[in-house]
Structure formats: C-alpha cells, structure tokens
C-alpha cells in the first residue's frame, strides 16, 4: 500500500464503499510517528483510562498488524506513551490507532511506526489491565472488527472486511 493512497483505494472500490465493506473513519485523528502510511490486519482492544491491555498486546510480535484501541474518546489522560510505542516498533507492529490520548509525543514521533490519536495529554493512565480484547469497536463513526484490514495515510483511515489490492 506504500504507493497507493487511501483516496485511490476509495476511487477504485466504489462498490465496496456502497456495500459497507469498505469504510472511512471520520477525520478526527492527529498523525504521530514517522510512518505516515501503514496498513495491516486489525487487532482490537477496548479500555477506559487504563493501558494495561494495550501494553500486553504491544509486548507480542506484531507481524505487521495494526492495534486499534477504543479508549472511549477520553481526553482526561493518555492511554499510550513512548515506551510501549518503542516496544511496538521493535516488535513489528505496523501502527496503532487510539480513540483517546497519547503522551511522549516527541519520542513517538521519532519511532518508525504509524500512530493516530485524538490528542496528546501529559497525565498517564492506570495500569490495572481492565478492558476487553478482540471485540467489535465503534469509533469515529465506524464499526471495526478484529481481523479486518486497516489502511492509513495522510488523507485518512479506511477499514475493509478483506485485504485490498488496487
């Protein structure tokens, strides 16, 4: 997907858009990390102001996957920071989408990984490990399920039931 934009994917797949098999997230995310273009199979996590489950996933080998985190849209603390993002980069994750806040922005911006989040916030989240994993999420006006494919670039974020080729 490195040379194909999300706009081109949309243009080439109008039938999938009409059928709901290809969906665009509402444009509410800020772009972080050095990798502005990324794609991969989705792994979902749902938490609220707690990053224990997020850290557990990012300790695993990513194998080019994208972690999609529904943090409930909370703007009261950061559920992702620099250390787990460095670990994700080292473990081969393609990207992380956070429906919530991140912190350690300068450190994250130095990492070769794609990160999208609503905003940055200096207060850290709790680490109790509470939440749900591999569940359907509804973020940015879009339903996202574990195992779907995500495509992100500077134009936006797409989710598809299947891996796409243009």
């Amino acid at each position: 997907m490195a040379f194909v934009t999300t706009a081109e994917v949309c243009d080439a797949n109008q039938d999938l858009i009409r059928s709901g098999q290809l969906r665009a997230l509402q444009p509410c995310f800020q772009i972080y990390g050095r990798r502005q273009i990324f794609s991969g199979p989705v792994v979902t996590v749902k938490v609220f102001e707690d990053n224990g489950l997020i850290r557990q996933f990012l300790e695993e080998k990513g194998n080019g996957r994208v972690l999609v985190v529904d943090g409930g849209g909370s703007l009261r603390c950061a559920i992702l920071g620099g250390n787990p993002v460095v670990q994700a980069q080292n473990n081969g994750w393609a990207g992380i989408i956070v429906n919530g806040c991140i912190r350690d922005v300068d450190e994250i911006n130095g990492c070769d990984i794609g990160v999208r989040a609503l905003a940055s916030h200096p207060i850290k989240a709790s680490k109790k490990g509470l939440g749900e994993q591999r569940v359907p999420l509804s973020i940015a006006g879009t339903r996202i399920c574990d195992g779907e494919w995500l495509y992100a670039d500077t134009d936006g974020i797409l989710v598809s039931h299947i891996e796409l080729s243009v």
Side-chain angles (χ1 to χ4, degrees):
M1 169 90 182
F3 300 105
V4 180
T5 68
T6 55
E8 291 170 319
V9 169
C10 289
D11 292 350
N13 291 283
Q14 290 295 310
D15 289 341
L16 293 177
I17 293 170
R18 281 190 288 278
S19 71
Q21 294 180 37
L22 177 62
R23 293 140 0 250
L25 276 66
Q26 294 170 347
C28 56
F29 295 95
Q30 303 296 312
I31 298 174
Y32 303 97
R34 286 195 344 241
R35 192 179 299 177
Q36 295 193 358
I37 300 171
F38 61 94
S39 63
V42 168
V43 177
T44 61
V45 177
K46 186 172 188 172
V47 299
F48 188 74
E49 298 180 359
D50 186 301
N51 71 0
L53 276 180
I54 298 168
R55 294 176 75 92
Q56 285 177 27
F57 269 105
L58 297 178
E59 290 171 358
E60 299 175 8
K61 292 293 179 195
N63 299 316
R65 295 178 294 171
V66 177
L67 185 64
V68 178
V69 181
D70 183 358
S74 174
L75 301 176
R76 299 188 313 184
C77 67
I79 57 174
L80 184 67
N83 289 338
V85 172
V86 168
Q87 190 164 35
Q89 168 197 259
N90 295 340
N91 284 338
W93 288 85
I96 308 166
I97 308 292
V98 180
N99 184 32
C101 293
I102 65 168
R103 69 185 209 158
D104 306 321
V105 170
D106 290 339
E107 184 176 6
I108 290 171
N109 283 341
C111 292
D112 184 23
I113 189 169
V115 177
R116 302 292 189 273
L118 298 179
S120 61
H121 199 294
I123 296 175
K124 67 181 177 180
S126 66
K127 295 177 178 22
K128 297 176 184 172
L130 302 176
E132 300 174 84
Q133 46 190 310
R134 301 187 184 279
V135 295
L137 307 176
S138 182
I139 61 173
T142 305
R143 182 175 168 90
I144 304 172
C145 296
D146 198 80
E148 290 189 304
W149 280 79
L150 185 138
Y151 303 86
D153 65 11
T154 55
D155 283 337
I157 303 169
L158 300 175
V159 177
S160 173
H161 289 303
I162 57 170
E163 184 177 7
L164 299 173
S165 60
V166 177

